[in-house]
Amino acid sequence: MHPTPVKAAVSAALFFTAAQPVLSAPLTEIGPGEGVVDIVAWPGYIERGETDPNFDWVTGFEEATGCQVRIKTAGTSDEMVALMNEGGFDLVTASGDASLRLIAGKRVQEVNVDLVPSWNTVDERLQDAPWHTVDGKHYGVPYQWGSNVLMYNTDVFEEAPQSWNVVFEEMTLPDGNSNKGRVQAFDGPIYIADAALYLMHHQPDLGIKDPYELTEDQYQAALNLLRGQREIVNRYWHDPFIQIDDFTNEGVVASSAWPFQVNLLVGKEQPISSVVPVEGATGWADTTMMHVDAPHPNCAYMWLEHSINPKLQGDLAAWFGSVPVVLAACEGNELLGDEGCDTNGLGNFERISFWRTPVTQCATQEQCVPYYRWVTDYIAVLGGR
Amino acid sequence: MTTAVATAPSLGRRLSNGLYRRPTLLLLLLLAPPLMWLGIVYLGSLFALLAQSFFSIDEFTGLVRREFTLSTYAQLFSPANVDIVLRTALMAAAVTVAAACMGFPIAYYMARCTGPRMKAVFYLAVMLPLWSSYLVRVYAWKLILAKEGILGWFFAQLHLTWLLDAVLALPVIGGASLSVSYIGMFLVFLYIWLPFMILPIQAALERVPPSYLDASSDLGAHPGQTLRHVILPLAFPGIVAGSIFTFSLTLGDYIIPGIVGSSRLFIGQAVFVHQGTAGNIPLAAAFSVVPIVIMAIYLTWAKRLGAFDAL
């Protein structure tokens, strides 16, 4: 028997409705958990005590909610965007240079903050941050923030360097030798913003107002600075452990770095310290965002609430060298200690330019150079062009 | 006896009889699985890759636009990307030439001058590095070549630091230390791929009949002439086979340039960065077409030189 045309049409219609992405409004109430939640995260961001049993903020959640947490780590923001474009995940801990791209690409959905009871405990400076809030809608819950720092060797610098110029311009260091071949820079296009931030203070006539919003002229000036830097950089870093090795065996004495490397090197009793120089620094502010077709939205909302509890926030800050988004986490956390938030840079908030995706239509200038050009041009700078 | 004839032959017997009468069918059945592997899995994925390179990427959202365009190839020919291709091809060529120069004497010694026991020792020595992890060996080399590493210490002990500094002061191939220079990367590539050059040359030299060499010297040839006019031409297919390994392996490697060297990208890294981290699959696909083209040119050239005549 052949299916009648009507039946065929109905089943086809059903099929297409089922296959359509659900473009509905956010959930209005949380139902029972689906048993699983899939999260794309930075390495070290979601720990279940496997590396160090003291650092575990997953097991308790799994027992309380019955939602198994499955983690996929990603090493760069671009990789996170690529994974979310593929789909099949519920949540992503996106930095500011990925979050707006995800929103523009319609890969993430609006979050109903009423379903996250602890929302009001989030640091007020972050609640409406422009990297996750578009047209008054929240596309995520802040997770953690931190700054890039200038890591240096204390045998060479008896006093902390005051400026990023030690990694940008050829000069003689306090130990009498040139810095050529002894400094490093970050191996990612977003590093162009570090150059722009430096120029913002040293060449004010360029008129840079925001290191992520550069006109063609400002952008070319930043690239020129980076081309000069290529001459003195021995190797660009992206793997924290290779950078640690280079500071130990390769005679590297200064570089932009994360607090993560500084903590590890200080832990190994190496002569290493870090500073945020006068120009300020770039930093990251990460937001947990939900995929537009999240297969397990209820468990995802439960994780969002769990992600901003003070215990998790404090433990994570101690583990990663970052700063909690819930200020209550700074007090009384055993792993972080009472000084922990200050050590990790809580007081630097105003001096940090948080990572954002550079876009053509920008607020402070008429027209800006978009991110895709940053990618190709930075590869060219690394190649010496 | 009649009962035995009357019994219907078993299913297996009937099948085998049937196949015996249709040899083409048998051949087809035997060849179908490997051919399907070659056709679908092997060539299919290659063509899927080639097709990707004709798409392009939306510059802001990073989503792939599935429309035919040549703009991705236009990007491939931007100066920075051409640099990447040239850099990789030159490194691969340098590594291949050096591996052939180093590999030939070793292979010759193995094939002609050793007894069975010594030959086994040589085989072991050549293969031994392949038993341990590739990554471990590359990281070990990073430590050997580091500024404060073993080689640097060795030069200092010999009061030859000035020599090392003079070499590192060379433009382009030098650098702050061996581990961040092209020289260092070249040494690591040479070390890692050398066994793949020695073994094919050794196999080719083994097949040169000793009587040819005797004949050559009986006819009054110098050892040098014998080498040039008898041994080298006969061993040439082995050298080409080895060079295909070292050349193509260097062309595609993305781990060594990431650990040793000065962060200037190689083709493999460009593919990795564009595909894995930037999600720019079209450009990654276009980049991976480059080694295919280079290898095609290389093989054509090798064929012209007569490398495959002995096959």
Side-chain angles (χ1 to χ4, degrees), chain B residues 102-118:
Chain B
M102 274 187 77
F104 188 84
I106 300 175
Y108 188 83
Y109 189 80
M110 277 172 79
R112 295 257 157 244
C113 309
T114 51
R117 184 177 288 266
M118 202 55 194

Side-chain angles (χ1 to χ4, degrees), chain A residues 183-207:
Chain A
V183 296
Q184 290 191 334
F186 184 59
D187 180 9
I190 205 70
Y191 190 75
I192 294 173
D194 288 62
L197 184 69
Y198 180 75
L199 291 176
M200 202 163 134
H201 288 77
H202 294 273
Q203 291 186 30
D205 47 318
L206 278 172

Side-chain angles (χ1 to χ4, degrees), chain A residues 152-159 161 172-179 182 251-254 271:
Chain A
Y152 62 94
N153 184 310
T154 51
D155 286 347
V156 174
F157 296 94
E158 286 176 4
E159 286 173 29
T172 309
L173 297 181
D175 68 349
N177 293 322
S178 164
N179 60 352
R182 298 162 79 202
V252 175
V253 297

Side-chain angles (χ1 to χ4, degrees), chain B residues 133-144:
Chain B
S133 158
Y134 167 94
L135 264 185
V136 171
R137 286 179 288 143
V138 177
Y139 273 106
W141 269 95
K142 182 175 184 296
L143 289 178
I144 293 172

Side-chain angles (χ1 to χ4, degrees), chain B residues 28-184:
Chain B
L28 214 65
L29 277 178
L30 282 175
L31 275 183
L35 274 182
M36 272 166 71
W37 170 268
L38 189 72
I40 299 171
V41 180
Y42 199 80
L43 291 178
S45 59
L46 199 65
F47 284 120
L49 178 86
L50 286 179
Q52 287 281 349
S53 68
F54 291 104
F55 296 151
S56 69
I57 195 159
D58 185 285
E59 280 137 2
F60 184 68
T61 58
L63 294 169
V64 176
R65 272 198 300 255
R66 294 178 188 280
E67 294 157 21
F68 177 83
T69 167
L70 286 174
S71 67
T72 308
Y73 279 100
Q75 269 183 56
L76 187 65
F77 285 103
S78 70
N81 290 342
V82 170
D83 277 356
I84 294 175
V85 172
L86 287 179
R87 186 180 298 140
T88 316
L90 284 175
M91 177 60 83
V95 169
T96 302
V97 170
C101 292
M102 274 187 77
F104 188 84
I106 300 175
Y108 188 83
Y109 189 80
M110 277 172 79
R112 295 257 157 244
C113 309
T114 51
R117 184 177 288 266
M118 202 55 194
K119 191 172 283 184
V121 172
F122 261 90
Y123 265 118
L124 202 67
V126 171
M127 306 275 270
L128 199 62
L130 301 178
W131 296 1
S132 67
S133 158
Y134 167 94
L135 264 185
V136 171
R137 286 179 288 143
V138 177
Y139 273 106
W141 269 95
K142 182 175 184 296
L143 289 178
I144 293 172
L145 297 171
K147 198 185 203 94
E148 291 154 27
I150 300 164
L151 262 184
W153 175 84
F154 197 69
F155 275 94
Q157 291 298 308
L158 297 173
H159 302 287
L160 285 174
T161 307
W162 58 271
L163 183 66
L164 184 62
D165 288 343
V167 171
L168 287 175
L170 292 173
V172 186
I173 58 169
S177 81
L178 278 174
S179 108
V180 295
S181 66
Y182 283 127
I183 304 175

Side-chain angles (χ1 to χ4, degrees), chain A residues 152-350:
Chain A
Y152 62 94
N153 184 310
T154 51
D155 286 347
V156 174
F157 296 94
E158 286 176 4
E159 286 173 29
Q162 293 300 305
S163 163
W164 284 104
N165 63 3
V166 295
V167 295
F168 278 119
E169 284 165 21
E170 189 167 356
M171 61 166 63
T172 309
L173 297 181
D175 68 349
N177 293 322
S178 164
N179 60 352
K180 189 168 181 178
R182 298 162 79 202
V183 296
Q184 290 191 334
F186 184 59
D187 180 9
I190 205 70
Y191 190 75
I192 294 173
D194 288 62
L197 184 69
Y198 180 75
L199 291 176
M200 202 163 134
H201 288 77
H202 294 273
Q203 291 186 30
D205 47 318
L206 278 172
I208 299 176
K209 299 197 177 65
D210 180 322
Y212 303 95
E213 301 186 344
L214 303 174
T215 64
E216 190 63 38
D217 289 345
Q218 297 164 348
Y219 179 74
Q220 291 303 337
L223 286 185
N224 276 332
L225 180 65
L226 292 166
R227 286 183 191 114
Q229 187 190 40
R230 169 75 260 196
E231 303 295 318
I232 58 167
V233 163
N234 73 341
R235 168 160 40 223
Y236 290 77
W237 72 276
H238 58 268
D239 180 336
F241 291 97
I242 291 187
Q243 185 178 48
I244 286 173
D245 188 49
D246 285 341
F247 267 77
T248 325
N249 295 316
E250 198 61 64
V252 175
V253 297
S255 172
S256 77
W258 299 331
F260 181 71
Q261 287 96 294
V262 181
N263 289 346
L264 276 174
L265 279 165
V266 169
K268 288 189 192 172
E269 301 189 352
Q270 294 288 322
I272 296 293
S273 185
S274 69
V275 64
V276 173
V278 286
E279 295 93 353
T282 56
W284 72 90
D286 294 346
T287 311
T288 314
M289 305 180 108
M290 199 191 302
H291 197 279
V292 66
D293 302 322
H296 318 104
N298 294 320
C299 274
Y301 265 103
M302 290 179 209
W303 176 266
L304 285 178
E305 168 61 17
H306 175 71
S307 75
I308 50 175
N309 84 57
K311 174 83 173 100
L312 180 156
Q313 285 282 321
D315 291 356
L316 172 56
W319 176 248
F320 202 74
S322 48
V323 184
V325 297
V326 176
L327 293 175
C330 290
E331 289 156 21
N333 186 296
E334 211 172 292
L335 297 168
L336 187 59
D338 287 340
E339 303 292 312
C341 281
D342 290 328
T343 313
N344 291 352
L346 178 61
N348 288 331
F349 189 89
E350 307 299 335

